[in-house]
Amino acid sequence: MADQLRVDRRGTRQSLRERNLALVLQAVAAGDGAVSRADIRRATGLPSATVSEIVTELLDRRVVQEVGQVRAGVGKPATLLALDRDHHLFVGVHVGRDRVVASRLTLGGRVQESLRMPYRPGDNPVPIAADAVRALRASADGSVSAVGLATPGIVTREGVLTQAFNYGWSMVPFGEQLSRACDGLPAHVINDSNAVALSEVVLSDRSRLSLVLLWLGTGIGAGIVLDGRLYEGPGHQAGEIGHIDTGHDLPCVCGRSGCLEAVAGLPAVVGDSDVAAHLAGDTDPGLDARVRRAGRELARLVSSLAAMLDVADFSLGGPVVTHPLGPALLSAINTELAARPVPGFSTVRVDFSEFGDQDVVIGARRTPCARSWA
């Protein structure tokens, strides 16, 4: 009987502190100026002493501010809390296929300034990212607290990029390199699809505790948030769905055939077609067929994830959001989902990410918000 319950001993005091701080910040952000300490306790399940300690520290550091009081029945009025949205500044950096995009943002996610710099796939993006960070710090009206870097590939909590097939990277300490290049500024690295998933949960106007964000660009990945917490897996590989076997015989860059990226990645869908001419009325049947095939395979994936994870909230993010074929791909996915519902589950529908072409840099900013103050 004793072996039926195993206690996870891998947690550390630091990781527990980061988790608690993130829970409190999320509760304050969700309250939008109308949340008290008692509300935070109820929302997070944390002890009163823990909530009080974290809130006091966040007030001292001007991450949270008091915005008034409210009386609920007898007794002392409750003090309401909100994010101090404009005091702290961050830089979010996204490493894309052919460019590095960096934005200076407030804690509330408001973009103040953005830079786009050309980039050759496979090169180390840190020097370019560091140049962008220095420029954005120099033009800032206030100090930048930290930088978040969102990148394709598998990333550890220590900021080490362990593998990125499409870029040829392996075991690169991006976090350490970027911090050193930025004169010791705290630098935190996160997988790009995880970054967007976090932005969807933390900054969305909708109440979203569990969702799967499908990243669709040259590669395909997923950011998985369950009960308000990002799930990365023990090897930080959760969501690495691009090389799932679809059963097709199309070659993939990884050396295998039939990978999801080889069927539904944007380059695979576009092929050698003239997308602009197609959308203007010069119909390309081959392109239409590839869009339907990609939609079919992505819908099958969504159905499987919905059943396995008991999640009904799915978003589509990454380059597909602004790509000319984005609407057609989204429609193809939802058409297939409607035609093949999973028995016992409500119909699942996929929407675009709420933050458009800023989804990654906003999500990249989310990572240092929680870790820099822990």
Side-chain angles (χ1 to χ4, degrees):
M1 292 293 292
D3 290 338
Q4 292 180 6
L5 178 63
R6 295 183 59 84
V7 177
D8 187 351
R9 299 179 181 177
R10 291 173 295 177
T12 64
R13 180 175 296 181
Q14 180 68 13
S15 65
L16 181 61
R17 177 172 171 74
E18 287 183 10
R19 172 184 175 275
N20 291 345
L21 186 144
L23 287 172
V24 171
L25 278 174
Q26 187 170 329
V28 174
D32 195 26
V35 61
S36 67
R37 289 168 175 80
D39 294 328
I40 295 172
R41 290 195 296 271
R42 286 190 289 269
T44 64
L46 296 174
S48 298
T50 301
V51 171
S52 179
E53 178 185 348
I54 292 175
V55 167
T56 297
E57 181 176 353
L58 294 177
L59 286 168
D60 290 342
R61 298 191 178 194
R62 293 194 61 181
V63 181
V64 167
Q65 60 184 336
E66 296 179 343
V67 293
Q69 293 185 325
V70 63
R71 185 179 295 277
V74 298
K76 185 178 178 181
T79 300
L80 299 179
L81 303 166
L83 292 180
D84 194 342
R85 292 180 175 269
D86 294 321
H87 180 72
H88 291 278
L89 301 177
F90 300 87
V91 174
V93 181
H94 172 218
V95 179
R97 187 66 184 171
D98 59 0
R99 71 185 65 183
V100 170
V101 180
S103 296
R104 188 178 64 248
L105 307 99
T106 65
L107 178 60
R110 180 170 60 87
V111 177
Q112 293 185 334
E113 183 181 355
S114 294
L115 297 173
R116 286 170 168 78
M117 307 177 75
Y119 164 74
R120 292 189 304 177
D123 286 355
N124 188 325
V126 168
I128 299 173
D131 287 343
V133 172
R134 282 191 287 268
L136 291 170
R137 292 178 77 181
S139 62
D141 183 13
S143 62
V144 172
S145 298
V147 56
L149 178 73
T151 175
I154 302 168
V155 182
T156 70
R157 289 183 64 84
E158 294 74 32
V160 177
L161 189 293
T162 62
Q163 187 66 260
F165 282 115
N166 292 335
Y167 288 72
W169 295 330
S170 179
M171 300 307 295
V172 186
F174 279 163
E176 177 185 334
Q177 291 180 359
L178 184 57
S179 178
R180 187 165 58 244
C182 294
D183 302 319
L185 186 70
H188 307 277
V189 186
I190 187 172
N191 169 268
D192 46 18
S193 56
N194 287 342
V196 182
L198 285 174
S199 70
E200 291 290 304
V201 170
V202 177
L203 296 175
S204 172
D205 291 335
R206 291 186 284 169
S207 177
R208 314 178 79 175
L209 288 178
S210 297
L211 71 86
V212 175
L213 184 288
L214 297 178
W215 169 276
L216 182 56
T218 299
I220 299 177
I224 303 170
V225 178
L226 302 176
D227 294 328
R229 298 181 64 185
L230 179 67
Y231 181 73
E232 298 179 276
H236 309 283
Q237 298 183 77
E240 289 294 311
I241 59 174
H243 299 281
I244 290 175
D245 189 359
T246 64
H248 294 274
D249 59 0
L250 298 170
C252 181
V253 294
C254 73
R256 300 167 56 203
S257 295
C259 293
L260 185 63
E261 287 182 6
V263 176
L266 284 177
V269 175
V270 173
D272 57 1
S273 296
D274 185 336
V275 175
H278 176 75
L279 296 177
D282 187 8
T283 305
D284 182 339
L287 180 56
D288 278 337
R290 291 194 296 274
V291 168
R292 290 195 298 271
R293 181 179 64 190
R296 184 168 55 250
E297 295 302 333
L298 290 168
R300 288 175 176 173
L301 172 68
V302 168
S303 294
S304 298
L305 292 174
M308 285 189 291
L309 301 175
D310 191 18
V311 173
D313 200 348
F314 287 80
S315 290
L316 194 61
V320 70
V321 174
T322 54
H323 194 279
L325 286 178
L329 280 167
L330 183 64
S331 177
I333 294 169
N334 285 319
T335 297
E336 185 71 18
L337 286 171
R340 301 168 61 95
V342 179
F345 287 81
S346 59
T347 301
V348 176
R349 182 175 176 80
V350 181
D351 297 314
F352 277 135
S353 165
E354 289 191 32
F355 302 102
D357 60 358
Q358 291 288 347
D359 55 4
V360 187
V361 293
I362 289 174
R365 184 232 15 123
R366 166 63 179 83
T367 303
C369 287
R371 294 183 183 172
S372 294
W373 294 305

